[in-house]
Amino acid sequence: MRIADAPSGRITLLEASKIPTRDTWPPLFYPFAADALRAPPESARGLYLGAVPALPIPPALRCGWTLVQGFRPDYLKLRDSGAHVLPAAEGDGYDLALGLAGRHRGENEARLAEAARRVRDGGLIVMAGGRTDGIASLRKRLPENVPVAGHLSKNHGEVFWIYASPKIAEHLAGLDAGRREALPLVEGRFRAAPGMFSHDRVDLGSRLLAGHLPADLAGEAADFCAGWGYLSVRLAEAAPGIGAIDLYEADHASLDAARLNLAGSGKARDFFWQDLAAEPVGRRYDAIVMNPPFHQGRAADPGIGTALIAAASRALKPGGELFMVANRQLPYEETLRRGFSKVWKLAEEAGFKVFRARR
């Protein structure tokens, strides 16, 4: 039995008016407001993959929801709103799943396969994305044995839905596994996946910073905004005197990849899934390496780097040192001078600048 297409139980016009309608919001809930899909009964179990605070579940879809969000700042906002939210999907037998598409083809395919694996036979899967999220190409790439039950366009985006079955789950899982197996190791040694920062190569900024890490560093170190662990590996290799490295990262999947990439280093100590701009660091370090992000979504926000520099200053022992790379145009010099007793610019090339700052 499946959640049938029907005009009854839909989102009311009043409720639909509360759904964000800006061009940047994917039309995830539009089929329920447009009479194309019926709202689930209150007894249903729903899974919302890629849930974001800006696109909450409408009141009409008032079943039991499990939200999945691996980006720590969004996770905290959802948790604080009272939602049941996890960093990664768990369980199966869900009656329906909603999924938001992102900018990476592989991430979208993995999210659809995740939904199909966890929704019961006959359950509903709804995927949506904005015009730059690759949602239309995702739908068109689906093979014939994964039939699309319907699709609509709205707000310069698209939404489509399918009904789950064991065969569809098996086929999508096979496609996702094949895609993962085809992913090359970065530089022949590092594991990463679409959706992570610089998932297919070492970014130039991190490479430049790694080349300026001194060999005489010693004690306990941390990697802020560690991603999938490149700088931690390079720090462990460059400085034999470093006894332990803690990794801090806001993206849950990237931190899982870092665990794999640091497994043989002998120096990785703890892995913290943490929003460094909002959650305090409980340890103090002799050295910190950092390649901070400067985007929130797709909008540039240098304030993120400013907050992370302040967090690094608080987390260093007296005399401890920060090694940081940033895009050349970002004005971090004054922030560094406020938080540190001495600041050096070690390099400025290829659009980046590298700093060393002593607490």
Side-chain angles (χ1 to χ4, degrees):
M1 181 179 179
R2 71 186 195 182
I3 298 175
D5 297 2
S8 60
R10 66 183 178 89
I11 295 175
T12 67
L13 291 176
L14 176 62
E15 290 167 334
S17 69
K18 298 178 181 179
I19 299 172
T21 56
R22 280 173 29 192
D23 288 353
T24 53
W25 300 129
L28 183 61
F29 308 119
Y30 182 58
F32 300 98
D35 290 342
L37 290 174
R38 179 175 58 190
E42 291 188 24
S43 60
R45 294 173 60 231
L47 184 67
Y48 183 3
L49 298 168
V52 292
L55 203 60
I57 300 290
L61 305 184
R62 55 171 61 89
C63 62
W65 286 100
T66 296
L67 279 55
V68 179
Q69 175 52 256
F71 182 53
R72 183 73 174 178
D74 283 346
Y75 168 91
L76 293 174
K77 291 176 183 177
L78 292 166
R79 185 199 67 184
D80 292 346
S81 74
H84 174 54
V85 57
L86 302 172
E90 297 177 0
D92 54 23
Y94 291 94
D95 297 294
L96 75 159
L98 307 177
L100 284 178
R103 289 176 288 173
H104 297 281
R105 170 176 172 169
E107 185 180 27
N108 294 339
E109 293 174 350
R111 188 160 289 171
L112 182 58
E114 181 88 67
R117 181 167 68 251
R118 299 190 182 279
V119 171
R120 64 168 175 80
D121 189 9
L124 177 67
I125 299 171
V126 181
M127 290 287 298
R131 58 185 174 183
T132 60
D133 292 331
I135 186 67
S137 63
L138 175 64
R139 174 177 60 82
K140 293 173 183 177
R141 286 197 309 275
L142 293 177
E144 292 183 359
N145 53 2
V146 183
V148 174
H151 68 95
L152 295 168
S153 297
K154 180 74 171 177
N155 298 339
H156 304 285
E158 182 173 318
V159 56
F160 70 84
W161 55 96
I162 64 176
Y163 288 100
S165 72
K167 285 293 185 183
I168 286 176
E170 180 181 352
H171 188 72
L172 290 175
L175 291 177
D176 185 47
R179 177 191 59 78
R180 291 176 184 273
E181 291 172 3
L183 286 174
L185 296 177
V186 178
E187 296 195 340
R189 61 186 295 200
F190 300 111
R191 296 184 181 276
M196 301 176 189
F197 171 68
S198 196
H199 76 277
D200 57 351
R201 66 193 182 283
V202 176
D203 74 287
L204 292 177
S206 293
R207 189 185 300 280
L208 183 62
L209 174 56
H212 286 84
L213 295 176
D216 61 352
L217 289 175
E220 297 180 336
D223 185 351
F224 279 14
C225 315
W228 42 262
Y230 171 77
L231 281 174
S232 292
V233 171
R234 292 295 306 273
L235 177 61
E237 294 172 344
I242 293 293
I245 303 173
D246 291 337
L247 284 78
Y248 293 79
E249 171 55 41
D251 180 65
H252 194 268
S254 295
L255 199 62
D256 282 345
R259 286 188 178 92
L260 296 175
N261 292 327
L262 271 293
S265 74
K267 295 189 176 182
R269 182 172 58 184
D270 287 318
F271 297 79
F272 295 97
W273 182 47
Q274 187 164 331
D275 178 6
L276 287 164
E279 298 177 286
V281 175
R283 293 176 178 171
R284 297 295 175 263
Y285 297 99
D286 300 288
I288 293 175
V289 296
M290 181 168 70
N291 182 358
F294 63 96
H295 281 83
Q296 181 67 42
R298 297 175 187 178
D301 183 2
I304 299 172
T306 299
L308 292 172
I309 291 170
S313 176
R314 291 190 295 268
L316 283 166
K317 300 174 183 177
E321 293 188 321
L322 169 67
F323 296 84
M324 170 185 161
V325 64
N327 285 52
R328 178 181 290 167
Q329 76 273 16
L330 296 175
Y332 290 146
E333 285 83 352
E334 181 58 33
T335 303
L336 287 165
R337 283 192 288 267
R338 287 198 303 267
F340 295 85
S341 63
K342 193 167 184 179
V343 178
W344 301 266
K345 184 185 290 185
L346 302 181
E348 186 167 350
E349 59 184 270
F352 297 95
K353 48 192 175 184
V354 175
F355 296 101
R356 180 175 185 170
R358 181 172 295 155
R359 180 76 166 83

